[in-house]
């Protein structure tokens, strides 16, 4: 691939890195990443993917921009309040880097559409803020053999882990079941420091870029936790495999997707009853 003069200048700091160089930059431009959630995590993740030159970025979010979002959701501005987040995100990303094609999905991700949504992307970023979506994304990616990075943030704390098919535990290996409703407080109840989401979302983008390039060590088999108030990072080793995982174990019992908040699918009920 021959870079234009503008591209050579835009990606100059990548091109001189031996871990990226011209071949790595071509990989990025030819790659695709789906970001599910255009909020506190999805904003920095999508911006850094776009800045890096990831050629196709999908953004999934059914919400509109609210004034309270702007403290952390840096894809959006005051003028975007009331607009669909995916349209605000598309405008911001395209203004940052015209090399990037943005696919905007102004819909809720659900059991009926997620497999079709993820099938054409190289890597998935879980930037959602609720457990039902996280379990759904995990199960869909395991079934479709798609790599993804999970993350969650609240107050000054965050965590993330990466799943690569056949190379480590999935999200359900670590968190077996959805917590009871209202058992875990939301950021709307206890708060979130915006830069915490910035740190963790940026790390999600880094995981996606490393996977695409085939460089560095991914958080496969590890959970990274962040306490931004204390400025402490911990990298926790996870089990190499969990044989009885209901999704990626030796004898999976969850073989169909469902919107777990509703708990309507029989496979999920059967697995949940056996806990």
């Amino acid at each position: 691939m021959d870079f234009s003069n503008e591209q050579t200048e835009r990606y100059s700091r990548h091109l001189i890195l031996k871990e990226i160089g011209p071949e790595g930059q071509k990989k990025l431009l030819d790659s695709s990443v789906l970001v599910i959630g255009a909020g506190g995590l999805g904003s920095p993740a999508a911006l850094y993917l776009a800045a890096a030159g990831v050629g196709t970025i999908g953004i999934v979010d059914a919400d509109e921009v609210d004034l309270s979002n702007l403290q952390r959701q840096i894809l959006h501005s005051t003028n975007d309040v009331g607009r669909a987040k995916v349209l605000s995100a598309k405008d911001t990303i395209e203004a940052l880097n015209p090399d990037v094609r943005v696919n905007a999905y102004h819909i809720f991700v659900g059991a009926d559409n997620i497999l079709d949504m993820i099938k054409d992307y190289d890597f998935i970023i879980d930037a959602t803020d609720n457990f039902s979506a996280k379990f759904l994304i995990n199960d869909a990616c395991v079934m479709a053999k798609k790599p993804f990075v999970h993350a969650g943030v609240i107050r000054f704390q965050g965590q993330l882990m990466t799943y690569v098919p056949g190379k480590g535990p999935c999200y359900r290996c670590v968190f077996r079941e959805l917590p009871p409703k209202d058992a875990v407080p939301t950021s709307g109840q206890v708060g979130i420091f915006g830069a915490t989401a910035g740190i963790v979302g940026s790390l999600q983008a880094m995981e996606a870029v490393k996977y695409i390039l085939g460089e560095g060590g991914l958080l496969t088999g590890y959970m990274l936790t962040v306490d931004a108030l204390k400025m402490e990072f911990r990298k926790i080793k996870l089990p190499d495999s969990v044989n009885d995982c209901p999704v990626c174990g030796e004898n999976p019992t969850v073989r169909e997707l469902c919107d777990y908040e509703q708990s309507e699918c029989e496979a999920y009920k059967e697995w949940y009853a056996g806990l």
Side-chain angles (χ1 to χ4, degrees):
M1 172 183 179
D2 293 326
F3 297 102
S4 67
N5 291 338
E6 182 179 324
Q7 287 176 319
T8 299
E9 183 174 358
R10 178 183 293 275
Y11 305 119
S12 60
R13 272 45 170 196
H14 276 180
L15 298 176
I16 60 176
L17 289 171
K18 65 180 180 62
E19 294 84 357
I20 302 180
E23 289 303 314
Q25 190 61 53
K26 182 180 183 301
K27 287 182 181 179
L28 292 172
L29 288 164
D30 290 341
S31 69
S32 59
V33 177
L34 181 68
V35 181
I36 304 179
L41 291 169
S43 287
L47 283 170
Y48 272 111
L49 292 173
V54 169
T56 301
I57 298 175
I59 306 285
V60 187
D61 202 300
D63 289 339
E64 286 73 43
V65 179
D66 183 85
L67 190 61
S68 67
N69 299 153
L70 303 183
Q71 163 257 10
R72 63 200 178 280
Q73 299 183 17
I74 56 176
L75 272 172
H76 320 296
S77 68
T78 302
N79 290 336
D80 293 315
V81 170
R83 293 186 70 202
K85 287 184 179 180
V86 293
L87 298 182
S88 169
K90 181 179 174 69
D91 287 349
T92 302
I93 291 169
E94 290 178 344
L96 175 65
N97 190 347
D99 285 345
V100 179
R101 182 180 71 178
V102 180
N103 299 324
Y105 306 91
H106 188 213
I107 55 175
F108 287 103
V109 64
D112 61 339
N113 60 23
I114 188 169
L115 289 175
D116 189 56
M117 201 178 296
I118 67 177
K119 65 183 176 63
D120 295 325
Y121 289 89
D122 300 319
F123 193 90
I124 315 300
I125 290 182
D126 168 16
T128 62
D129 63 358
N130 66 85
F131 288 101
S132 57
K134 292 185 180 301
F135 276 81
L136 176 64
I137 292 166
N138 174 82
D139 295 355
C141 288
V142 171
M143 291 178 185
K145 295 181 170 56
K146 290 285 184 177
F148 79 98
V149 58
H150 146 80
V153 289
I154 197 165
R155 289 176 49 79
F156 296 90
Q157 289 77 40
Q159 65 181 37
L160 67 157
M161 61 175 285
T162 296
Y163 168 79
V164 175
K167 294 188 178 180
C170 73
Y171 180 79
R172 202 188 277 274
C173 291
V174 182
F175 304 102
R176 281 303 187 94
E177 58 185 293
L178 278 75
K181 189 175 181 179
D182 301 325
V184 179
T186 66
S187 63
Q189 294 169 320
V190 299
I192 179 172
F193 186 64
T196 306
I199 293 167
V200 178
S202 298
L203 290 171
Q204 287 186 286
M206 189 74 215
E207 288 292 281
V209 168
K210 288 188 297 181
Y211 176 83
I212 292 164
L213 294 174
E215 292 285 346
L218 294 170
L219 286 171
T220 307
Y222 293 91
M223 177 76 73
L224 182 69
T225 65
V226 179
D227 186 326
L229 197 61
K230 297 179 180 177
M231 200 50 70
E232 292 180 351
F233 290 74
R234 293 182 62 209
K235 188 176 179 182
I236 302 164
K237 180 75 170 70
L238 301 175
D240 292 332
S241 62
V242 179
N243 293 336
D244 62 347
C245 174
V247 180
C248 72
E250 293 180 351
N251 298 294
T253 56
V254 177
R255 298 185 181 89
E256 66 179 44
L257 297 174
C258 86
D259 297 311
Y260 297 115
E261 193 169 32
Q262 301 171 16
S263 301
E264 291 177 350
C265 59
E266 292 303 317
Y268 179 73
K269 288 180 180 178
E270 178 184 346
W271 166 73
Y272 191 85
L275 291 174

